Amino acid sequence: MAERRSVAADVVGSNPTSRPNPSSSAPQPQSIRTRSISPLHRETTLPRSPKAIAVTTTSLAPSHSNLFVGTSGWAYPTWKPGFYPKEVPSRAFLHFYAAHLTSVEVNYTFRTLPTATQLQGWLDATPPGFRFSFKAPQRITHFQRLRECHTTITEFLAAITPARTAGKLGPLFFQLPPNFPADNARLNTFLEDPAFAEQPSLQLAFEFRHPSWFSDAAYAILRRHNTALCIAEGDDLVTPDVATADFRCYRLRRSGRYSPAEIEAFAQRFTKSAVTADLYAYFMHEDEPTGALNATALLSAAVESTATESKAGAHK
């Protein structure tokens, strides 16, 4: 099946998931201009810098404490006027996004590491408490396939250090390809890398797309390293809802709009979990602003659920 790409593909915050050809052992990314020897550093067309626009909000969007909700990327012109007002320029998309949602999953890092200037622009465009989750480079997950990754991991962590220093770093997502079956020894060796040990507060999450990973043995390795099993709900595969870390991650990737009843059910579940731990939930990006509208609806439902519970507790 041909890969679906939005019209904003290959710009900051909106790079789609790559699905490599299973018949090739080491596919190389196409149509990307390389500006350094390292495969981690790629140059693509970037949107205008958000630093040219004043931050429009200084506080996080209303939300339940520890609940971080957003979408996979923000730089989608086709979200006008359903999510972004038509008068908002593309360079101000992140400002507007961060006034209404509390986190974003950056898929851009799957192919390209941001420069310090780019990342600082993102940080400056968002209020305190906002969280950026970064997708691990394809070199780690798809080319090296978790083998001998110390240098690549080190480069990745160095590139996103400003987000950690600013207190805006969410989980790092390692999405394995569908043709990568379970290899528990390799997973354990990867998680024992010294680069992770040097930063024990990092929140790591794995999304497995081959069903052989869904086993007690794999879950035990994740728990040993306080690494979350990313609960991914898609059209073809649904991850078991198993807790393996002191935080939770959900990628809600089903096509189309979730119903109000489904959004309400998510709000009830997520607010309960967020009482004791950080919980991250990201809806899929599409050409239509469906994911962003799902995310804002979930945040609103979570706030209402929290308010209802508080009132009920006050009357006891």
Side-chain angles (χ1 to χ4, degrees):
M1 182 181 296
E3 180 184 319
R4 286 178 50 201
R5 298 174 71 93
S6 82
V7 296
D10 292 326
V11 297
V12 168
S14 62
N15 210 32
T17 297
S18 170
R19 295 184 182 275
N21 185 349
S23 64
S24 174
S25 60
Q28 296 300 316
Q30 302 295 317
S31 301
I32 299 178
R33 300 193 308 276
T34 304
R35 61 181 171 84
S36 71
I37 295 176
S38 170
L40 278 180
H41 297 278
R42 307 286 183 186
E43 184 177 10
T44 57
T45 301
L46 303 178
R48 296 171 67 182
S49 172
K51 295 179 72 175
I53 298 294
V55 175
T56 57
T57 180
T58 58
S59 60
L60 203 61
S63 175
H64 184 284
S65 178
N66 301 329
L67 179 60
F68 301 93
V69 178
T71 62
S72 298
W74 70 83
Y76 304 105
T78 54
W79 285 7
K80 288 185 177 184
F83 180 69
Y84 294 122
K86 62 180 181 180
E87 67 273 10
V88 174
S90 60
R91 64 182 180 272
F93 279 177
L94 183 53
H95 298 280
F96 183 92
Y97 177 104
H100 296 82
L101 297 169
T102 54
S103 186
V104 69
E105 178 189 289
V106 182
N107 285 335
Y108 176 72
T109 47
F110 182 70
R111 293 180 179 172
T112 308
L113 292 182
T115 67
T117 299
Q118 290 164 5
L119 182 51
Q120 192 59 52
W122 303 347
L123 298 174
D124 291 343
T126 54
F130 189 86
R131 299 281 179 91
F132 290 89
S133 297
F134 295 94
K135 192 171 184 179
Q138 63 182 336
R139 182 179 173 189
I140 292 175
T141 55
H142 289 63
F143 301 159
Q144 293 175 305
R145 296 170 77 90
L146 307 186
R147 289 193 184 99
E148 300 179 355
C149 296
H150 178 72
T151 298
T152 323
I153 294 169
T154 301
E155 291 180 6
F156 178 40
L157 298 185
I160 61 175
T161 292
R164 184 168 66 92
T165 302
K168 294 185 177 183
L169 183 60
L172 308 184
F173 283 110
F174 295 83
Q175 184 190 59
L176 302 188
N179 63 348
F180 191 160
D183 187 331
N184 292 329
R186 194 187 310 182
L187 174 64
N188 188 68
T189 299
F190 176 81
L191 291 173
E192 288 179 340
D193 192 279
F196 295 135
E198 292 169 0
Q199 301 184 39
S201 63
L202 287 174
Q203 294 177 322
L204 308 181
F206 267 77
E207 180 183 348
F208 301 122
R209 292 189 288 170
H210 192 287
S212 61
W213 285 102
F214 304 143
S215 69
D216 289 340
Y219 302 153
I221 293 170
L222 295 178
R223 289 191 181 100
R224 188 180 310 137
H225 297 281
N226 194 34
T227 297
L229 174 68
C230 180
I231 314 303
E233 179 185 78
D235 295 330
D236 301 321
L237 182 67
V238 177
T239 305
D241 196 345
V242 177
T244 61
D246 59 7
F247 65 99
R248 306 297 302 276
C249 294
Y250 291 82
R251 299 184 85 227
L252 307 174
R253 316 290 291 176
R254 201 180 72 201
S255 300
R257 188 81 182 259
Y258 284 84
S259 70
E262 290 173 314
I263 293 293
E264 179 62 31
F266 283 137
Q268 294 285 343
R269 286 172 53 200
F270 292 169
T271 53
K272 289 180 180 178
S273 295
V275 169
T276 57
D278 288 346
L279 187 145
Y280 301 85
Y282 299 102
F283 289 90
M284 182 171 66
H285 71 271
E286 298 179 278
D287 289 343
E288 298 298 318
T290 308
L293 298 176
N294 282 329
T296 54
L298 175 55
L299 272 184
S300 296
V303 170
E304 292 178 6
S305 176
T306 302
T308 300
E309 292 180 3
S310 298
K311 290 180 181 178
H315 291 297
K316 286 184 179 179

